[in-house]
Structure formats: C-alpha cells, structure tokens
Amino acid sequence: MATSDIKGVQGTIAFDGEWITITKPQARQGEREFRIRAADITGIRVKPATRLFYGYVHIILPGSAAAAESTSLSAGGRPRHSDPHSLTIPRRANDAAVRLVAAVEQTRPTS
C-alpha cells in the first residue's frame, strides 16, 4: 500500500499501511514522533478546515478519551497543539485527510 501523507500546520501525519506516524515540534524538545499501529486505534476524528479556521485530524485510542476541543475563537475548536494524537491541518489538506482516513479504515480489523 502506498504511503499517505498529510502536511499539517506544524507537523505531518504519515501512514505506511500499518503505522500512523505523527511528527510535530515540541517546545524545547525539538521534533517529536508519535507512532500508532493502525490496528490499535478505535477511530479517527476529522474536522475539515475552512477559509477562516484550520481543521484537525485526531487519532482515538482504546481506553482514552478524545482530546478536548479548545473553546477559544482563535483555535476554532481544535485540540491543543500539545496533544500527541492530533494535528492541525490547513484547508489544502482536507482531501489528503479524507484519503488517510479511508486508507486507515481499510486496515483496521472489523468486529
């Protein structure tokens, strides 16, 4: 399977057919990479970006609550940047986010 990539506002999400890798800069720690096996996730939330607000992709893991969305107007309802399982996306990445979700859903076990 081909790799799916999303270039976010401050980071990237890559999917190689088995692993989702979220890479984003962390304050005073340089760039950090978070790897999640696609078969282990319980879902993916995507909020498409608009002309006025960025959107996001959020990976939901078993036993963990979905990240809270910020209520400030400037954040546009996105999870905090510090959340390791989400990435803020610009409007030009909306189509790539849809393709990523479709690719991940194909690899997840059905039950």
Side-chain angles (χ1 to χ4, degrees), residues 91-109:
R91 193 168 138 205
R92 68 180 174 272
N94 285 344
D95 291 340
V98 170
R99 288 190 302 270
L100 174 87
V101 170
V104 170
E105 290 296 326
Q106 287 181 357
T107 64
R108 291 183 52 217

Side-chain angles (χ1 to χ4, degrees), residues 72-97:
S72 75
L73 182 59
S74 64
R78 297 183 312 272
R80 294 184 178 273
H81 175 73
S82 60
D83 177 42
H85 304 124
S86 66
L87 182 71
T88 300
I89 59 170
R91 193 168 138 205
R92 68 180 174 272
N94 285 344
D95 291 340

Side-chain angles (χ1 to χ4, degrees), residues 22-91:
I22 301 173
T23 306
K24 54 204 291 195
Q26 299 292 309
R28 291 178 240 111
Q29 297 175 356
E31 200 166 80
R32 295 208 42 213
E33 187 175 281
F34 304 94
R35 288 181 48 111
I36 305 161
R37 201 168 71 109
D40 294 339
I41 69 170
T42 56
I44 300 177
R45 286 190 325 182
V46 175
K47 181 176 182 182
T50 65
R51 282 190 198 183
L52 297 177
F53 295 106
Y54 290 126
Y56 66 85
V57 175
H58 177 69
I59 309 298
I60 303 170
L61 300 170
S64 66
E69 294 181 349
S70 174
T71 57
S72 75
L73 182 59
S74 64
R78 297 183 312 272
R80 294 184 178 273
H81 175 73
S82 60
D83 177 42
H85 304 124
S86 66
L87 182 71
T88 300
I89 59 170
R91 193 168 138 205

